[in-house]
Structures are given as structure tokens and as C-alpha cells.
Amino acid sequence: MRQRLQFITLVVLGFSLLLALAAALGPFEPDLLFIVSFMLFVAIVELTAPDVITIPWRRKLGWFTVLGLLVSSVLLSRRVLEIIPDGSLFP
């Protein structure tokens, strides 16, 4: 239970700092905020993972990771398609 509370505290703290930084830097876009916060979440998951055993509640984090990966790939592909001029993707 203590490890779960520490993990949740670390994720909330990281996201709060990211949100404060984005607000301090000026206008931000929600899709970029989601992608950066997802990268932060994955980094925290990997850095706090135990080496020997897998704790049962950590197995459920895989679903959040897959869902976040799908959403961020859709957001990133939409952003790339906005940047690339029409007709230059497939000549």
C-alpha cells in the first residue's frame, strides 16, 4: 500500500509541476500537454518498477500505458499532418 501511495504522489507531483510550468510559459495546447504528461508517466512507471517481482496493482498500469500510447500516437499524427503541406507526403 505504501508503494502505491508513493507512486500516485510522484505522478500527481510530476503532473502538477508540468502544468505549472506550462502555465508559466504562456499559452499551451492540450494535446502537447497530454503527450508530455504521458511521457512523464511512462518514465515514472519505468523508474519505479521493481526488479525481481511484479506487484499485482502494477500489472494494471499496462492498460493505461497502451491507452496513452494510442491516444498520443493519434494526437501526434494529427499534429504532423497539420505541419506537412498538402501533397508533399506522397509525391
Side-chain angles (χ1 to χ4, degrees), residues 42-79:
V42 170
I44 292 172
V45 166
E46 291 301 317
L47 289 174
T48 60
D51 293 333
V52 180
I53 61 171
T54 302
I55 304 169
W57 65 269
R58 290 187 68 91
R59 290 187 191 130
K60 297 175 185 172
L61 294 178
W63 290 106
F64 288 113
T65 306
V66 169
L67 182 65
L69 185 64
L70 289 174
V71 171
S72 62
S73 63
V74 167
L75 292 174
L76 195 60
S77 64
R78 288 180 63 197
R79 176 66 67 140

Side-chain angles (χ1 to χ4, degrees), residues 13-63:
L13 177 67
F15 185 70
S16 299
L17 289 174
L18 180 67
L19 192 59
L21 180 68
L25 292 177
F28 61 91
E29 298 185 22
D31 56 346
L32 292 178
L33 182 66
F34 178 81
I35 291 171
V36 174
S37 63
F38 173 67
M39 291 171 34
L40 176 71
F41 172 75
V42 170
I44 292 172
V45 166
E46 291 301 317
L47 289 174
T48 60
D51 293 333
V52 180
I53 61 171
T54 302
I55 304 169
W57 65 269
R58 290 187 68 91
R59 290 187 191 130
K60 297 175 185 172
L61 294 178
W63 290 106

Side-chain angles (χ1 to χ4, degrees), residues 2-15 44:
R2 184 170 180 239
Q3 291 176 345
R4 184 185 312 178
L5 184 61
Q6 288 176 345
F7 177 78
I8 292 171
T9 304
L10 190 59
V11 169
V12 169
L13 177 67
F15 185 70
I44 292 172

